[in-house]
């Protein structure tokens, strides 16, 4: 199959994925009553507005709270688009679009796409709906069309290199380049990046300092290039890179909707930098003048003489001139921001921002490339001459909702494809996160035993006191087989929970914290609880509300899905695998790349709770069980006095 034929197939698969995505949205939202939508978490109704104020970019910022269904899980999360609506009968459409800035159990902060709320927002009967966002599909299809049609240009050359039809080229590696704060493999990766003419990959397994390496490489590239483009598939990953680059004294412009950017980085966004620009006071003055002229014009009613009509027209003309002048001044500032920034950071879809439409870059740095569909990777790459991918193809893959599209390869990324090319990838092999025995299973299963734990972490435990049986062991597999901890499916969400595992986690956690306190330790712990299933996450969150850890040395205690902990680490990690059934069904636990992420978040202590009778037949989990048995990490739930 030629490169263009394969890309045409991806285009077709993308249509299938879009249809499945919209089908799921339609089934749970458009065809459902408002009561059904409330139950499946796609609608909050009724809601009340707790506060509203004018914020960045002259958008209205709302804080809202739902008044019922308070214990029900929902689908609202930061970055998603929503519609604020009124359920009062009216001849006019009473809807307003916005983006979620922050979402909690029963409250949300929204940034509305307006500078003023309409009157109906103050009449009660308000609700919020999740919106279907088609924009990313449109941009991916457009990008694929351009790649497929490319001939005799740089896009066509990159297409054939990625396809494996042409070999990438490299300049002679300069071994004199050594950055003191980087280790040997990190320096090797930086030198490889600097030598690449087309594509280079930094393979960064968990805790190996991938972001640190990329930031240093960007710093050196900027010595010979005026500006580079930096992308990542999630706003969280973009924010992290932005923050690290700013720390290096680099002039960064963070492009993206204010609702999708970290609060701490708003000053680095277009709107944030406009508001600190020396000419911003002139823009404000022009807008105030326009407002005054509109007010004066509005005083003239229908019954007007010729002079009154002329005066009103004059006021309107002056108002429009002020608005026009303020927009021209704002455009001038925006253009200067894009011109002077050393690094432009954004998600792939945002790289098609109108201010970036005609910009070209020599180098694209694409982080967390293992999570990006090939089609979305092409969007920023079309603007660039070469690309530096960083990521780990043994960690989180892209989310694909259509089983058919996934089966036919839509989830195969550009990173997956490029890692097959000889001499294109460099491995970061020293990890700085976890105890060597927490690392070792993933090291042997995924990384060919090429990773090594740095001396600063390799023997780090919660306590060196061997009498503290929980603290002195870096890994525990607690087997619930035979305990009748059966999984339960929620008939509405179809997600699974396991109350027995949830109870066991908090019993074990209390024992751990008691031992930690008695051991005389003084450092507060960061603790994470992970479950792949959203229903179990909600159950664990409820249990956490009844668990008083204020008396113990705990700094932070989070409950999230695996995706929620991507890129993060904790001193202690608990994993609840939930599945327990007589048919050995494990569902998406068979996605071992996702499990690799979960198993590599802990620094000092990893506790995995599973029913080995259900899960242990899968080759990956069978190997993990054997690893735990060999190292005396295996325990039965019966050891914690649980009765069947």
């Amino acid at each position: 199959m030629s490169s263009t034929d394969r890309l045409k197939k991806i285009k077709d698969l993308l249509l299938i994925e879009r249809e499945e995505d919209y089908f799921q949205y339609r089934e749970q939202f458009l065809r459902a009553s408002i009561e059904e939508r409330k139950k499946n978490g796609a609608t909050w109704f009724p809601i009340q507005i707790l506060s509203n104020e004018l914020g960045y970019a002259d958008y209205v910022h709302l804080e809202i709270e739902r008044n019922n269904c308070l214990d029900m899980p929902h689908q609202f999360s930061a970055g998603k688009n929503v519609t604020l609506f009124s359920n009062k009968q009216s001849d006019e459409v009473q809807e307003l679009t916005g983006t979620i800035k922050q979402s909690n159990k029963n409250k949300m902060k929204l940034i509305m796409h307006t500078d003023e709320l309409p009157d109906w927002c103050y009449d009660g009967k308000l609700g919020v709906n999740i919106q279907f966002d088609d924009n990313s599909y449109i941009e991916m299809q457009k990008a694929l069309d351009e790649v497929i049609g490319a001939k005799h240009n740089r896009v066509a050359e990159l297409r054939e290199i990625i396809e494996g039809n042409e070999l990438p080229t490299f300049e002679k590696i300069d071994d004199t380049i050594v950055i003191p704060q980087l280790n040997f493999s990190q320096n090797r990766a930086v030198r490889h990046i600097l030598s690449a003419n087309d594509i280079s990959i930094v393979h960064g397994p968990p805790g190996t300092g991938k972001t640190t390496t990329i930031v240093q490489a960007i710093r050196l590239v900027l010595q010979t290039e005026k500006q580079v483009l930096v992308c990542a598939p999630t706003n969280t990953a973009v924010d992290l890179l932005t923050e690290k680059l700013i720390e290096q004294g680099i002039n960064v412009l963070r492009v993206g909707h204010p609702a999708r950017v970290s609060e701490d980085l708003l000053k680095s966004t277009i709107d944030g930098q406009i508001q600190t620009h020396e000419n911003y006071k002139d823009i404000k003055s022009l807008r105030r003048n326009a407002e005054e002229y509109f007010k004066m014009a509005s005083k003239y009613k229908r019954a007007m003489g010729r002079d009154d009509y002329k005066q009103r027209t004059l006021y309107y003309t002056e108002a429009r001139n002020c608005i026009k002048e303020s927009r021209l001044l704002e455009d001038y500032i925006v253009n200067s921001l894009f011109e002077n920034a050393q690094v432009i950071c954004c998600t792939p879809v945002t790289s098609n921002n109108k201010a970036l439409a005609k910009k070209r870059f020599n180098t694209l740095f694409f982080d967390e490339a293992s999570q990006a569909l090939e089609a979305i990777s092409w969007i920023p790459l079309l603007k660039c001459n070469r690309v530096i991918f960083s990521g780990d193809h043994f960690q989180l893959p892209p989310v694909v909702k259509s089983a058919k599209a996934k089966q036919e390869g839509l989830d195969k990324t550009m990173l997956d494809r490029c890692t097959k090319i000889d001499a294109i990838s460099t491995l970061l092999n020293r990890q700085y996160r976890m105890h060597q025995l927490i690392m070792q299973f993933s090291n042997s299963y995924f990384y060919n035993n090429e990773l090594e734990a740095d001396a600063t972490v390799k023997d780090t435990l919660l306590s060196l006191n061997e009498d503290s049986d929980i603290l002195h062991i870096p890994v525990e597999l607690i087997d619930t087989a035979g305990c009748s901890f059966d999984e339960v499916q929620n008939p509405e969400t179809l997600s699974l929970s396991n109350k027995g595992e949830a109870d066991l986690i908090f019993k074990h956690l209390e024992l751990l914290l008691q031992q930690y306190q008695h051991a005389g330790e003084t450092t507060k712990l960061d603790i994470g609880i992970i479950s792949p299933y959203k229903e179990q996450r909600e159950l664990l969150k409820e249990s956490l509300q009844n668990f008083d850890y204020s008396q113990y040395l705990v700094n932070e205690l989070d409950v999230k899905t695996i995706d929620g902990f991507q890129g993060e680490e904790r001193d202690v990690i608990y994993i609840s695998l939930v599945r327990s059934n007589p048919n050995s069904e494990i569902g998406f636990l068979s996605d071992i790349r996702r499990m690799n992420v979960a198993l590599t978040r802990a620094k000092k202590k990893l506790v995995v709770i599973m029913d080995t009778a259900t899960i242990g037949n899968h080759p990956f989990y069978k190997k993990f069980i054997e690893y735990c048995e060999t190292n005396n990490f295996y325990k039965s739930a019966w050891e914690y006095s649980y009765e069947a």
Side-chain angles (χ1 to χ4, degrees), residues 225-397:
E225 297 177 20
K226 183 186 175 187
Q227 195 174 67
V228 300
L229 180 61
V230 173
C231 285
T234 67
N235 282 289
T236 303
V238 177
D239 284 344
L240 177 62
L241 277 166
T242 302
E243 186 181 327
K244 298 296 182 186
L245 288 163
I246 290 171
E247 286 174 3
Q248 292 291 314
I250 294 169
N251 181 4
V252 184
L253 184 61
R254 171 67 167 97
V255 182
H257 192 292
R260 298 188 176 102
V261 179
S262 162
E263 291 277 359
D264 297 334
L265 296 174
L266 283 173
K267 287 182 180 177
S268 67
T269 63
I270 298 171
D271 298 314
Q273 292 196 34
I274 286 174
Q275 293 190 9
T276 57
H277 195 275
E278 60 183 1
N279 294 123
Y280 182 63
K281 62 181 184 299
D282 299 323
I283 293 176
K284 287 184 75 174
S285 176
L286 286 164
R287 285 176 179 168
R288 277 197 302 269
N289 291 343
E291 195 173 322
E292 286 301 316
Y293 283 126
F294 276 127
K295 280 181 182 177
M296 287 188 282
S298 67
K299 290 176 183 177
Y300 290 89
K301 306 301 180 186
R302 288 186 180 179
M304 291 186 291
R306 181 177 295 178
D307 291 341
D308 291 336
Y309 181 81
K310 282 184 178 179
Q311 190 62 43
R312 189 181 75 158
T313 303
L314 182 63
Y315 284 143
Y316 273 131
T317 301
E318 288 299 324
R320 291 190 186 101
N321 286 340
C322 287
I323 289 172
K324 184 179 179 181
E325 197 172 336
S326 73
R327 284 176 179 164
L328 286 171
L329 188 53
E330 188 168 321
D331 288 343
Y332 164 76
I333 295 173
V334 169
N335 288 334
S336 70
L337 291 176
F338 276 98
E339 187 64 28
N340 296 322
Q342 293 175 283
V343 176
I344 294 172
C345 284
C346 57
T347 58
V349 172
T350 311
S351 69
N352 261 359
N353 178 288
K354 65 177 182 179
L356 281 167
K358 295 181 180 178
K359 286 194 76 70
R360 296 284 306 176
F361 304 86
N362 187 53
T363 305
L364 164 66
F365 283 86
F366 200 118
D367 195 21
E368 303 294 1
S370 63
Q371 296 180 53
L373 293 172
E374 179 174 357
I376 214 164
S377 300
W378 274 113
I379 297 172
L381 186 49
L382 289 172
K383 301 175 181 297
C384 305
N385 292 322
R386 66 170 186 153
V387 58
I388 313 302
F389 288 121
S390 57
D392 181 7
H393 47 292
F394 297 126
Q395 291 191 64
L396 287 182

Side-chain angles (χ1 to χ4, degrees), residues 167-173 191-201 421-425:
L167 290 175
T169 63
F170 296 86
E171 301 299 324
K172 188 175 184 302
I173 289 177
R191 291 193 290 268
H192 193 268
I193 288 168
L194 296 177
S195 72
N197 292 321
D198 311 292
I199 300 171
S200 175
I201 295 173
I421 302 170
D422 288 340
I424 204 171
S425 179

Side-chain angles (χ1 to χ4, degrees), residues 470-490:
I470 292 179
L471 309 182
H472 189 67
I473 304 171
V475 180
E476 279 185 69
L477 164 59
I478 304 179
D479 186 3
T480 66
C483 293
S484 298
F485 290 175
D486 298 330
E487 64 189 55
V488 176
Q489 187 175 55
N490 183 321

Side-chain angles (χ1 to χ4, degrees), residues 572-583:
V572 182
I573 286 285
Y574 285 87
I575 305 174
S576 170
L577 293 183
V578 177
R579 300 311 300 258
S580 181
N581 58 72
N583 304 318

Side-chain angles (χ1 to χ4, degrees), residues 72 131 198 211 237 270 281 322 343 402 414 426 432 457 491 557 574 583:
M72 287 190 177
Q131 269 191 330
D198 311 292
T211 303
I270 298 171
K281 62 181 184 299
C322 287
V343 176
S402 163
M414 206 180 279
T426 53
Y432 296 87
V457 298
L557 208 170
Y574 285 87
N583 304 318

Side-chain angles (χ1 to χ4, degrees), residues 17-26 29-30 81-83 129-135 137 401:
E17 171 68 5
R18 191 260 176 209
E19 287 171 9
E20 176 61 26
D21 196 1
Y22 187 67
F23 171 79
Q24 291 183 17
Y25 170 80
R26 189 177 66 238
F29 182 72
L30 293 181
N81 289 327
V82 296
T83 304
N129 289 328
I130 287 277
Q131 269 191 330
F132 182 76
D133 188 0
D134 212 18
N135 187 46
Y137 290 106
K401 294 182 178 179

